Amino acid sequence: DQLSLGGRKILGELQRKFPKFAGEGPEYPMGGMVGPPIPQDKLDKLSDSGWIGAMKKYTTEEPPAKRLFSLRGGRQELAHALQERAEKNPAKFLKLAKERMDTTFHPDYCKAVVIGLAKGKTPIAEVKSLIEKFLPVLPADQLHWIASAISEYPPNDIPEPLIDLILEWALRSPHPVTPAERTIRSEDAKRRHN
């Protein structure tokens, strides 16, 4: 209805050239949160083998063109879902992490399970053991998330070697200031100069 004569002509040519293409999309803007590549209700029912298979399958992010009209994410969204479930069901995911995961898994999954278990109040000795297991693959610029999760434990419960490890991370971190802090500081500096 709203196409010009030239637009209708081009649309007709494209429809003849690509007859199977369904060009009808929503006539209003769509929005929502991008979720994991597996529906939430199915994630809740995944066995340990299902989680292992999903983590091995989703090692990259979906190209934007593939999820043009979909709110399904990739690896990062699945890692976030893993973290949430590890926090809610620490016994299941501690067993999964200890017995079935290793450093061949993407670092996002290793980090997610450690953070989820720490937030789920898994015994600190178990969390420390997993940190040591996954440390070779954990990116230095992401370790602050693990340190933040560990900070929720009572200080006297955190073993001295783990405190030393966190201190070492802080000292070796390529970016000891978070992007949010950097933004706040730069905005503050701009205000002072104006």
Side-chain angles (χ1 to χ4, degrees):
D1 291 353
Q2 298 176 352
L3 285 178
S4 66
L5 182 59
R8 283 193 293 265
K9 182 179 177 184
I10 292 171
L11 178 61
E13 290 172 16
L14 289 172
Q15 287 173 330
R16 282 188 297 282
K17 193 172 184 178
F18 304 103
K20 293 183 180 178
F21 179 76
E24 295 297 317
E27 292 189 21
Y28 51 88
M30 287 181 47
M33 289 190 54
V34 176
I38 299 169
Q40 296 283 354
D41 60 327
K42 290 186 179 174
L43 283 175
D44 292 331
K45 298 173 188 167
L46 277 184
S47 64
D48 288 356
S49 295
W51 274 104
I52 296 298
M55 288 186 279
K56 287 184 176 183
K57 179 177 180 179
Y58 298 101
T59 57
T60 61
E61 291 303 308
E62 285 289 321
K66 268 193 152 183
R67 45 182 180 161
L68 187 59
F69 294 109
S70 165
L71 293 177
R72 285 182 24 190
R75 181 194 69 245
Q76 290 179 347
E77 291 80 12
L78 184 62
H80 183 73
L82 172 65
Q83 179 180 324
E84 288 176 341
R85 280 152 182 83
E87 183 177 351
K88 291 177 185 169
N89 190 350
K92 172 186 170 120
F93 288 93
L94 176 62
K95 183 175 187 265
L96 176 77
K98 284 173 66 173
E99 297 177 6
R100 307 277 308 268
M101 291 178 70
D102 57 35
T103 56
T104 62
F105 285 83
H106 194 280
D108 285 352
Y109 298 126
C110 299
K111 178 183 77 169
V113 77
V114 168
I115 292 171
L117 291 171
K119 288 185 170 193
K121 299 300 183 209
T122 299
I124 192 69
E126 297 283 11
V127 173
K128 177 183 175 287
S129 173
L130 288 176
I131 290 170
E132 291 167 344
K133 177 180 179 176
F134 297 134
L135 191 57
V137 297
L138 294 172
D141 65 342
Q142 296 291 307
L143 296 174
H144 65 280
W145 294 111
I146 293 173
S148 177
I150 291 168
S151 73
E152 295 180 24
Y153 286 92
N156 292 338
D157 291 356
I158 303 172
E160 194 70 32
L162 188 52
I163 292 171
D164 292 341
L165 182 60
I166 293 169
L167 179 60
E168 183 184 331
W169 293 346
L171 294 173
R172 289 186 311 134
S173 174
H175 305 289
V177 178
T178 65
E181 289 175 302
R182 203 172 294 117
T183 301
I184 290 168
R185 289 180 184 171
S186 84
E187 290 298 321
D188 188 45
K190 284 180 192 173
R191 271 188 247 121
R192 287 183 191 171
H193 291 306
N194 290 334

